[in-house]
Amino acid sequence: MNSAAPASPAASQPGWSRESGGQNRSGSGETGVSRRARIGDAVLGWACRLSAALIALMLVSLIVVLVHSAWPAIRQFGLGFLVSSDWRANEIERPLRDAAGKLVLRDGEPVMETLAPSFGALPVIWGTAVSSALALLIAVPISLSAAIFLVRVAPKLRIAGAASFLIEFLAAVPSLAFGIWALFVLAPFFQNHVGPVLQRVFEPIPGLRWMFYETVTVAGRTVERPIPLTGRDLFTGSLILAIMILPIVTSVSRDVLKAVPRTQIEGTLALGATWWQSCVAMLRYGRSGLLGAIMLGLARAAGETMAVTMVIGNNNQISPSPFAPAQTMASVLANEFGEATEGLHRASLLYVALILLTMSLVFNVVARRLVVGKVGGVSH
Amino acid sequence: MPVSPLMTQPPTSAKPQPEPPQVELPARKRPIASVGPANASGGQYPVIDAIKRGETPEPRRHESVMGVPSILEVRDFQLWYGQNKALHGVTMPIAEGKITSIIGPSGCGKSTLLRSVNRLNDLVDGVRTAGSISLKGEDVYARGVDVISLRKRLGMVFQKPNPFPMSIFENVVYALRISGERRKSVLEAACEKALRQAALWDEVKDRLKSSAMGMSGGQQQRLCIARAIVCEPQVLLLDEPCSALDPIATLRIEELILEIGQRYTVLIVTHNMQQAARVSDFTAFMYLGRLVEYGRTADIFQLPRLRETEDYVTGRFG
């Protein structure tokens, strides 16, 4: 199209956009009005391009800045950062112990050892992975059921619009509001009512003792002690995450299921499928789009900060028990960034942020590839 | 390619009729579903005019079709979509073991009637029915009818091939799977039998485990037929099964319908009159939710009793 323009004076405009080339062909030799319009088009066209480029540039610069700021930690720990569970912001001195756990004495005094500051992301990666997985475990069945309701039941009851609105409204609630509710309502409720019941039910079951007891090494001795059920633990954190990802997983699943052709559902029904069996067929038809919806939920769960920080307990440890306090990547950043004045500490936190960003990008890209084309664009 | 003997029959009327110039309609696909003036045809088509006025004239049912043992009895069946009445008291028996086709212009209610037999219309919002449809003497609209087991006695094939996103094998045995059949030997035997009956076995026997979505349109439709007959239905319902297919695939499906008609009762809805002439034993002509004429296919196409039917099957009207 561009090649058609050289005869026109407008073509020499530096900002001449390609889209106007065709117009130019028919309008060459016209008056200044069309020329002015063309200049306006060009300016706007370039403004749009610049804005789009700016957004891409922001992402690139974000990554560059993150890598640059995290560089001291990347250089010091390398990929070992991902598998180390140290998190010592300050140098500490402690009594040296031998292999048997005995204090090493010299002249009757314990010998001290000095541990340099060291950082590792394994506990927060663990916390993020487990809390997100638990959140999905809770949210996905509810979301898929709600999506089926919205697509197959609600229209008949003429409440599809209202129900969709309520579910999407949940997405608009600020995460701090969820956090406060979780901290003052959900956590005490779990501490006083749900936790004790769960303990009474599950503790006697052989093989589930690890849920309520932890093994720790105190002063060189290994002891087993009960995990205090505070209600501020991985489980409550996962629950609030589940509530927060419900809207997105539900609304994307609803769009995916809506796009299932009617003939597919009728095809199963005509063969004698029950309502439930035809729903299963529907889920199967939309499976890749639904997987995308779940991935979007996962991305959100992994990155969610405020509400989780308030209830997860913020303990940098790896415990198999869902009733132990934990820490996620986002919550460690929120908790420690303000006081991370020392270079390596700050760099390590930014390293965590970089891991989180990479993970979220991967989840989002995969999710979009799965969903787009199934529903003709993700609507959120 | 073998051609069915019926195909050689000329679908045009044998009766020479003087054609008045005013009924020479330029386009065959004239929209006629809309209700026009009371005397739109200029008195040429009194039955159609009466229907357009909202009346339900008594249809011409030939004695040849009323005397045959029937498997399905439609009696004064009426259906409303909300305020719109789509079927006005249709009464017709469907002959057992024969192929019956329903023809008529778009919007005549032929698909609605077909979908009423297996109660797929139940899914549509605001559907009401009156009258009855009996399958082997049992009213399918009676209270307490188990719709699921009713549908298992009927097979249905849709306009567009609708294979499920799974393997060819799983598609064919779907009806058995949802009935709880797990024995591999039973499933495999049923799959092979259905695919052979659908003339698809030789083409797909080496790739039963591959996805059905990768087949051609004609193959997909034959797969859908195999899927519909795997439970040996009492009636096979075909809803314009060739409308999304190319001519060669259409021909193969038509051969298949003739073949399947040897074993099953087939009720086929088609907008293609030549297809009705080629495959069916009996033909019903419907218009605006009313049955107009119903008889043996040869009679409907060669000795129709109504001028409307004759002009419709020869393409001069509708």
Side-chain angles (χ1 to χ4, degrees):
Chain A
M1 270 164 102
N2 244 350
S3 57
S8 155
S12 59
Q13 289 287 335
W16 191 244
S17 72
R18 205 187 308 172
E19 286 80 359
S20 318
Q23 269 184 339
N24 181 36
R25 204 181 319 172
S26 56
S28 63
E30 293 273 320
T31 55
V33 177
S34 68
R35 184 186 169 146
R36 248 170 76 188
R38 272 182 247 140
I39 294 170
D41 275 4
V43 169
L44 256 173
W46 278 103
C48 291
R49 269 167 229 207
L50 208 68
S51 308
L54 208 65
I55 292 171
L57 198 72
M58 266 155 73
L59 179 64
V60 172
S61 66
L62 181 66
I63 294 171
V64 168
V65 167
L66 265 184
V67 171
H68 179 256
S69 326
W71 191 249
I74 297 174
R75 205 181 43 202
Q76 177 133 6
F77 305 117
L79 286 177
F81 189 71
L82 299 174
V83 291
S84 157
S85 49
D86 283 337
W87 195 271
R88 276 193 310 279
N90 301 302
E91 194 180 83
I92 58 166
E93 278 203 345
R94 67 174 187 194
L96 186 65
R97 291 173 187 277
D98 62 16
K102 288 261 170 61
L103 286 175
V104 180
L105 299 175
R106 186 181 298 155
D107 309 332
E109 289 288 311
V111 177
M112 303 302 277
E113 60 174 343
T114 307
L115 295 171
S118 176
F119 299 93
L122 192 60
V124 288
I125 292 175
W126 165 267
T128 306
V130 174
S131 62
S132 306
L134 269 177
L136 284 182
L137 212 62
I138 300 165
V140 167
I142 300 173
S143 289
L144 292 186
S145 311
I148 288 174
F149 170 82
L150 288 174
V151 173
R152 295 199 61 176
V153 183
K156 284 195 176 161
L157 306 174
R158 300 180 203 291
I159 56 169
S164 284
F165 173 77
L166 280 178
I167 288 171
E168 271 155 28
F169 181 73
L170 209 56
V173 175
S175 76
L176 195 68
F178 276 116
I180 287 177
W181 176 76
L183 185 62
F184 290 118
V185 180
L186 200 60
F189 182 73
F190 265 77
Q191 182 176 16
N192 300 325
H193 302 290
V194 181
V197 172
L198 288 177
Q199 183 158 20
R200 219 170 302 138
V201 171
F202 288 111
E203 199 189 318
I205 298 174
L208 287 186
R209 202 177 155 77
W210 55 268
M211 281 182 131
F212 303 97
Y213 291 87
E214 59 186 350
T215 315
V216 286
T217 310
V218 181
R221 272 171 306 158
T222 305
V223 291
E224 190 188 54
R225 65 177 183 199
I227 299 171
L229 296 176
T230 61
R232 279 172 284 280
D233 50 32
L234 192 64
F235 187 72
T236 313
S238 306
L239 202 66
I240 196 69
L241 274 180
I243 294 170
M244 295 178 75
I245 64 174
L246 268 177
I248 180 138
V249 182
T250 306
S251 62
V252 178
S253 304
R254 177 201 57 198
D255 294 345
V256 169
L257 292 185
K258 254 190 192 164
V260 174
R262 206 185 158 75
T263 54
Q264 283 284 326
I265 302 159
E266 288 183 342
T268 58
L269 289 172
L271 289 166
T274 60
W275 189 84
W276 170 240
Q277 284 166 337
S278 76
C279 285
V280 171
M282 210 170 162
L283 294 176
R284 192 192 292 115
Y285 190 89
R287 63 197 159 190
S288 74
L290 295 175
L291 199 63
I294 293 168
M295 293 289 277
L296 281 175
L298 183 60
R300 182 159 290 196
E304 172 48 43
T305 310
M306 212 50 234
V308 176
T309 309
M310 291 167 88
V311 292
I312 203 162
N314 300 314
N315 194 343
N316 206 70
Q317 62 173 10
I318 296 177
S319 165
S321 168
F323 304 109
Q327 181 107 294
T328 69
M329 293 195 240
S331 73
V332 76
L333 284 168
N335 270 319
E336 297 192 7
F337 205 82
E339 56 205 43
T341 47
E342 197 254 321
L344 194 60
H345 189 190
R346 177 166 288 215
S348 300
L349 286 174
L350 285 160
Y351 197 175
V352 171
L354 189 65
I355 298 167
L356 186 58
L357 177 74
T358 313
M359 246 175 55
S360 293
L361 271 179
V362 170
F363 286 159
N364 270 295
V365 168
V366 172
R368 258 148 228 276
R369 298 208 81 160
L370 290 170
V371 175
V372 174
K374 299 296 183 300
V375 295
V378 189
S379 59
H380 61 93
Chain B
M1 184 161 292
V3 174
S4 80
L6 274 167
M7 267 188 73
T8 53
Q9 288 183 358
T12 46
S13 167
K15 269 197 297 180
Q17 288 264 344
E19 255 329 294
Q22 65 264 39
V23 293
E24 288 288 342
L25 299 173
R28 279 182 55 174
K29 282 276 170 192
R30 200 170 64 113
I32 47 108
S34 60
V35 176
N39 222 4
S41 66
Q44 279 295 308
Y45 303 129
V47 174
I48 296 299
D49 288 340
I51 289 174
K52 282 186 175 170
R53 286 194 299 270
E55 297 165 21
T56 304
E58 186 60 24
R60 304 293 196 280
R61 296 189 201 88
H62 300 194
E63 303 71 36
S64 52
V65 65
M66 300 309 283
V68 185
S70 67
I71 187 165
L72 206 58
E73 285 279 353
V74 183
R75 264 189 232 99
D76 193 27
F77 190 75
Q78 301 166 59
L79 184 141
W80 294 261
Y81 291 120
Q83 296 300 309
N84 296 330
K85 194 166 183 182
L87 292 174
H88 297 253
V90 175
T91 299
M92 59 187 285
I94 308 296
E96 179 155 20
K98 303 285 183 193
I99 303 175
T100 302
S101 62
I102 306 176
I103 58 172
S106 300
C108 72
K110 52 194 193 297
S111 280
T112 300
L113 181 62
L114 192 79
R115 293 161 57 92
S116 298
V117 175
N118 66 355
R119 292 190 57 173
L120 262 194
N121 280 327
D122 289 12
L123 304 176
V124 182
D125 238 1
V127 161
R128 283 179 301 128
T129 62
S132 74
I133 296 178
S134 330
L135 176 64
K136 292 211 159 176
E138 297 164 50
D139 184 1
V140 304
Y141 281 89
R143 262 177 201 282
V145 165
D146 179 0
V147 181
I148 303 300
S149 61
L150 166 76
R151 289 181 184 145
K152 284 180 178 162
R153 292 160 64 192
L154 300 160
M156 186 165 193
V157 176
F158 295 80
Q159 288 189 21
K160 257 187 81 185
N162 58 344
F164 303 144
M166 35 180 145
S167 69
I168 294 171
F169 177 80
E170 288 300 332
N171 260 281
V172 177
V173 301
Y174 182 81
L176 295 168
R177 281 250 193 251
I178 59 175
S179 302
E181 182 60 68
R182 281 160 197 273
R183 284 166 294 169
K184 210 176 168 210
S185 57
V186 174
L187 294 174
E188 279 173 351
C191 175
E192 179 172 348
K193 187 170 168 227
L195 284 173
R196 280 192 192 281
Q197 287 182 5
L200 197 56
W201 175 251
D202 291 329
E203 286 165 62
V204 301
K205 65 179 179 220
D206 298 323
R207 52 183 181 118
L208 291 175
K209 295 277 173 257
S210 59
S211 169
M213 309 306 266
M215 305 167 89
S216 73
Q219 284 178 325
Q220 288 187 353
Q221 196 61 307
R222 276 181 283 150
L223 178 72
C224 291
I225 292 175
R227 192 172 68 185
I229 60 179
V230 75
C231 282
E232 314 209 327
Q234 290 167 346
V235 180
L236 185 61
L237 308 168
L238 306 176
D239 187 1
E240 306 202 14
C242 302
S243 64
L245 302 180
D246 61 75
I248 292 172
T250 298
L251 203 67
R252 295 207 63 180
I253 299 279
E254 285 179 8
E255 285 167 20
L256 179 58
I257 293 169
L258 279 168
E259 178 91 13
I260 281 179
Q262 317 262 326
R263 290 192 194 88
Y264 301 99
T265 305
V266 178
L267 183 57
I268 174 173
V269 159
T270 176
H271 63 270
N272 179 338
M273 284 161 290
Q274 282 71 32
Q275 185 168 77
R278 286 191 292 261
V279 303
S280 63
D281 301 303
F282 298 99
T283 297
F285 172 44
M286 287 181 69
Y287 189 81
L288 282 185
R290 281 88 166 173
L291 180 64
V292 176
E293 186 162 357
Y294 184 28
R296 290 197 325 184
T297 299
D299 295 341
I300 291 289
F301 281 88
Q302 283 158 26
L303 295 164
R305 300 193 185 162
L306 286 174
R307 172 155 199 157
E308 284 85 344
T309 311
E310 181 184 343
D311 282 2
Y312 181 73
V313 299
T314 52
R316 280 194 289 269
F317 152 78

